[in-house]
């Protein structure tokens, strides 16, 4: 659980193992997937590393496997799935595997060459069989061929041609269209010239027997040769299919083995080898809690190799910043990806992911609140979760994104159902589950708006019909929801930011920055509570008291007058003594600004001056560095203070997007209902049923494309921005680098 709320504690470990056991030890660490190797040869080029030849051999084997897979796909041969856990071949088995690949490639290429040659011979014989005359030329070249002949011989020849009818076999193979032609001329000299023209246009020329008997004899000979070639081609294709089928049973297994071997040799290139070539030294980052598992894996690898020396682990102290490692599962990895897309957390910094699991879908649902749309989204997410394995086979970028975020979509849909029930919206229609407290009887009071009741007599029906919601016909529905959702957005936004400021306290306590608690956290909290916390109080207080709408003061004007110290019109105040409270809160907030701006830099300056006196005036270089760094500290603190103070205002207004998108989604839903489906429901003619089906289909398509996909994507991006900018910048630095262990599972998953 600690790694869920904060990144894992990491340690730098030095490994010593024998050269003969290195392959098995690294293989076991790859299966474990909890170790990141450091590069101990940063100054050595890739082609100068010790195991570069082995890496190139693995790349060559990968090329052969890609060639085999391409041939299998071309022949419609199903590739068998890989086994769950295949052993990584040892170093002496690599040569055998490489030899198997080379023989298989050579055999397959030889089969393809022979097959192509036999096929070409068959095509030529089929041309002869269709011809019994002079030659064959590609159809696209014949017009130019004919024009050249006419220009050379001025019509002193007879040319006949026709399109050659391709057989079904040739059509299936995508044969090029050709024309059969015969030319009658006089004289050997002219015949030789025509022959050269034919060769220039790459026309195939054939001998044409003069007598009928010779032509029939030639036809029979050609037919016999064609039958022999067809049989040989059929046998060749069967043999080729057999070779590929046998290889298809192992190609996935071979591919995973080669990838693992390549990863092992790449990792060995990161290590150092001593002068005796018998000992390998490596440095790794690994979680402190998993050191026992790492040692067990090394011992297992050493035993598999038959080594008599057990690998040695030596935990070393370092000033280097460790990588950030947050453990995830199938449910949390999507939310962690959202956080990492903004920036990988600083080492041991608090992780926003567990809080994002709740706040992200909730803020999305505030903008997307409709229980009908939320139900459709939830059902879609449930379907994706149940079909995740089959959808992964599509190997499509869009499906990968949907599968990776399936649990995010599920929670967004469920939260949208919740907020939709609160908004009382289901495809823009309202429920009346608990009945209505509205009553028409007070409107008949002598001083009440009784004439309004007579003008709109159906109000009585609304009151007596329990299934109808009175808000559907309320004249102030939009204005009330507009005010309510705007104030709700401010309350949620300020609460969300205050929660982010509170999380910064957890970071300060963990890193023992107690000075920052009093010089940064407390002033920031007081500043926000004095202004925006009080704004929430005004909203809630106004909701709780009874005021006439004509005389009720505006919260916005109250807040503006509070900041401008404008209190001339006291009749717009909410309670007694409000003026003095306003003055006190504004002054308190203003006083926090110099505290944030100056106190921390001056304390650091005093500490630096003490260090300077201790070092002495003789070390002018250190004194200069102290002065320069102090200037940077003052500038940094000024930027940070201005960003926080102005950001509180801009971030609060940024949360108003919750109000804007919520209203936009509700209004678009109502427009679709009124302009599309309601029109079909009102049709009473004979074609009404057919029109209703057509309009319902249009309503469904528009609902999915516009409201679910476009509006859903818009609400997703806005919720993403609120978390990245407004929430996380209160406590999250995101300046770390990700823990990338040697993991065979991740390697095979990313390269599928």
């Amino acid at each position: 659980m600690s790694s869920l709320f904060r990144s894992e504690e990491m340690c730098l470990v030095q490994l010593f193992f024998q050269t003969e056991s290195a392959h098995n030890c690294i293989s076991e660490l790859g299966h474990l997937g909890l170790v990141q190797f450091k590069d101990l040869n940063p100054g050595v080029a890739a082609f100068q590393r010790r195991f570069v030849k082995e890496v190139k051999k693995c790349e060559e084997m990968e090329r052969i496997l890609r060639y085999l897979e391409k041939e299998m796909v071309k022949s419609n041969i199903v590739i068998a799935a890989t086994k769950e856990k295949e052993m990584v071949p040892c170093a002496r088995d690599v040569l055998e595997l490489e030899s198997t690949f080379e023989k298989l490639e050579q055999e397959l290429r030889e089969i393809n060459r022979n097959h192509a040659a036999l096929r070409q011979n068959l095509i030529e014989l089929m041309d002869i069989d269709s011809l019994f005359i002079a030659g064959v030329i590609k159809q696209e070249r014949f017009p130019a061929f004919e024009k050249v002949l006419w220009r050379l011989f001025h019509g002193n020849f007879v040319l006949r041609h026709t399109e050659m009818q391709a057989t079904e076999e040739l059509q299936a193979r995508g044969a090029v269209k050709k024309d059969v032609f015969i030319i009658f001329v006089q004289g050997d000299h002219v015949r030789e010239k025509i022959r050269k023209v034919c060769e220039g246009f790459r026309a195939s020329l054939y001998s044409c027997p003069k007598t009928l008997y010779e032509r029939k004899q030639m036809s029979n000979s050609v037919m016999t040769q064609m039958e022999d070639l067809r049989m040989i081609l059929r046998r060749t294709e069967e043999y080729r299919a057999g070779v590929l089928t046998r290889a298809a049973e192992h190609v996935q297994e071979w591919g995973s083995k080669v990838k693992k071997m390549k990863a092992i040799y790449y990792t060995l290139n990161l290590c150092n080898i001593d002068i005796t070539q018998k000992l390998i030294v490596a440095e790794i980052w690994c979680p402190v809690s998993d050191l026992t598992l790492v040692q067990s894996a090394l011992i297992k690898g050493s035993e598999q190799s038959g080594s008599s020396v057990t690998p040695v682990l030596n935990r070393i102290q370092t000033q280097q910043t460790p990588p950030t490692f947050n453990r995830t599962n199938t449910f949390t990895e999507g939310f962690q990806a959202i956080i990492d897309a903004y920036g990988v957390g600083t080492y041991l910094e608090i992780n926003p992911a567990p809080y994002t699991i709740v706040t992200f879908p909730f803020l999305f649902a505030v903008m997307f609140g409709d229980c009908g749309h939320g139900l459709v989204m939830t059902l879609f997410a449930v379907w994706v979760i149940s079909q995740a394995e089959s959808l992964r086979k599509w190997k499509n970028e869009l499906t990968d994104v949907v599968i990776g975020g399936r649990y995010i979509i599920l929670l967004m849909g469920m939260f949208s159902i919740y907020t939709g029930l609160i908004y009382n919206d289901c495809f823009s229609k309202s429920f009346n589950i608990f009945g209505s407290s509205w009553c028409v009887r007070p409107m008949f009071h002598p001083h009440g708006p009784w004439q309004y009741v007579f003008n709109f007599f159906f109000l009585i029906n609304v009151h007596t019909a329990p299934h109808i919601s009175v808000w559907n016909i309320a004249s102030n529905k939009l204005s009330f929801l507009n005010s309510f959702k705007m104030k709700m957005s401010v309350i949620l936004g300020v609460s969300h930011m205050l929660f982010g400021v509170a999380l910064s306290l957890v970071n300060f306590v963990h890193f023992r920055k107690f000075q920052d608690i009093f010089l940064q956290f407390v002033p920031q909290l007081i500043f926000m509570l004095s202004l925006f916390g009080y704004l929430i109080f005004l909203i809630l207080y106004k909701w709780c008291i009874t005021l006439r709408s004509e005389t009720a003061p505006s919260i916005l004007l109250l807040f503006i007058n509070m900041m401008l110290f404008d209190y001339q019109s006291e009749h717009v105040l909410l309670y007694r003594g409000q003026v003095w409270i306003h003055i006190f809160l504004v002054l308190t907030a203003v006083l926090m600004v110099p505290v944030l701006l100056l106190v921390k830099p001056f304390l650091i300056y005093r500490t630096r001056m003490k260090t300077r006196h201790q070092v002495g005036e003789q070390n002018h270089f250190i004194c200069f560095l102290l002065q320069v760094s102090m200037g940077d500290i003052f500038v940094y603190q000024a930027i940070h203070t201005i960003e926080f103070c102005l950001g509180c205002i801009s971030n609060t207004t940024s949360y108003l997007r919750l109000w804007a998108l919520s209203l936009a989604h509700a209004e678009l839903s109502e427009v679709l209902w009124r302009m599309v489906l309601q029109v079909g429901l009102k049709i009473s003619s004979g074609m009404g049923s057919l029109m209703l089906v057509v309009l319902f289909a249009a309503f469904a398509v528009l609902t999915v494309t516009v409201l679910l996909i476009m509006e859903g994507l818009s609400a997703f991006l806005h919720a993403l921005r609120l978390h990245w900018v407004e929430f996380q910048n209160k406590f999250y630095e995101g300046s770390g680098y990700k823990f990338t262990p040697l993991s065979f599972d991740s390697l095979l998953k990313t390269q599928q």
Side-chain angles (χ1 to χ4, degrees), residues 186-204:
Q186 288 184 351
D188 294 335
H189 181 68
V190 177
R191 188 180 296 110
E192 288 300 323
K193 285 187 176 181
I194 291 178
R195 185 181 298 275
K196 290 181 180 180
V197 172
C198 293
E199 291 175 355
F201 280 89
R202 296 180 182 177
S204 301

Side-chain angles (χ1 to χ4, degrees), residues 226-236:
M226 286 171 58
E227 289 299 325
D228 293 341
L229 282 174
R230 284 194 178 98
M231 182 186 66
I232 296 172
L233 277 172
R234 189 164 51 252
R235 296 284 179 85
T236 303

Side-chain angles (χ1 to χ4, degrees), residues 213-230:
Y213 175 76
E214 290 175 347
R215 287 196 293 268
K216 286 184 177 180
Q217 192 176 15
M218 180 180 179
S219 177
N220 293 334
S221 175
V222 169
M223 292 296 292
T224 304
Q225 293 180 39
M226 286 171 58
E227 289 299 325
D228 293 341
L229 282 174
R230 284 194 178 98

Side-chain angles (χ1 to χ4, degrees), residues 271-288:
C271 305
N272 277 338
I273 303 179
D274 71 339
I275 301 176
T276 61
Q277 305 292 317
K278 295 182 179 180
L279 185 66
I280 292 181
V281 182
E283 290 185 4
I284 60 171
W285 290 107
C286 70
V288 175

Side-chain angles (χ1 to χ4, degrees), residues 420-422 424 430-438 465-469:
L421 291 174
I422 292 178
N424 199 9
S430 301
F431 297 116
N432 194 10
I433 301 174
F434 304 105
S436 177
S437 298
W438 178 82
H467 63 280
I468 300 177
S469 175

Side-chain angles (χ1 to χ4, degrees), residues 316-535:
I316 57 178
Q317 300 296 326
T318 180
Q319 297 298 322
Q320 301 177 27
T321 303
T324 301
F325 176 42
N326 297 107
R327 295 184 194 270
T328 58
N329 51 41
T330 55
F331 179 76
T332 61
E333 63 182 357
F335 295 96
Q336 190 64 54
I338 291 177
I339 303 301
D340 293 342
Y342 173 80
V344 179
T346 308
Y347 177 62
L348 291 180
E349 185 180 24
I350 193 167
N351 184 19
Y355 313 104
T356 305
I357 293 174
V358 178
T359 58
F360 184 85
F362 176 70
L363 292 184
F364 170 88
V366 170
M367 296 179 278
F368 195 77
D370 189 296
C371 56
H373 300 155
L375 179 61
V376 174
M377 185 176 290
T378 302
L379 293 177
F380 172 73
V382 171
W383 177 78
V384 173
I385 292 171
S386 62
Q387 302 294 325
E389 293 302 322
S390 59
L391 290 175
R392 281 196 178 96
K393 297 178 182 178
W394 292 13
K395 296 181 180 179
N396 185 292
E397 185 176 356
L398 179 61
T399 56
D400 291 343
V401 172
V402 173
I403 293 171
R406 59 193 183 277
Y407 291 105
I408 301 177
I409 300 174
L410 176 66
L411 288 184
M412 290 192 304
M414 295 173 65
F415 274 82
S416 296
I417 296 175
Y418 169 72
T419 55
L421 291 174
I422 292 178
Y423 293 160
N424 199 9
D425 268 342
C426 181
F427 298 110
S428 80
K429 306 308 293 179
S430 301
F431 297 116
N432 194 10
I433 301 174
F434 304 105
S436 177
S437 298
W438 178 82
C439 183
V440 74
R441 190 173 295 109
M443 301 183 73
F444 287 94
H445 191 271
H447 300 288
W450 54 271
Q451 292 181 349
Y452 185 81
V453 178
F454 285 108
N455 293 333
F456 300 94
F457 189 72
F458 60 88
L459 286 173
I460 300 176
N461 296 331
V462 172
H463 175 61
T464 56
H467 63 280
I468 300 177
S469 175
V470 73
W471 277 110
N472 283 337
I473 59 170
S475 59
N476 64 335
K477 173 186 175 182
L478 185 59
S479 60
F480 171 78
L481 290 178
N482 185 46
S483 175
F484 169 73
K485 289 185 177 181
M486 180 176 63
K487 294 172 182 176
M488 179 193 66
S489 300
V490 173
I491 294 174
L492 292 176
V494 175
S495 302
H496 198 210
M497 290 189 294
L498 285 172
F499 179 60
V501 174
L503 289 178
S504 67
L505 174 64
V506 181
N507 274 335
F508 292 146
V509 172
H510 179 81
F511 292 112
R512 300 185 179 277
K513 296 181 179 180
F514 300 111
Q515 187 182 56
D516 289 340
I517 296 177
F518 298 101
L519 301 182
Q520 185 170 332
F521 167 73
V522 174
Q524 287 180 353
L525 186 64
I526 294 175
F527 181 86
M528 287 198 67
L529 289 175
S530 300
L531 299 180
F532 303 101
Y534 180 69
L535 179 61

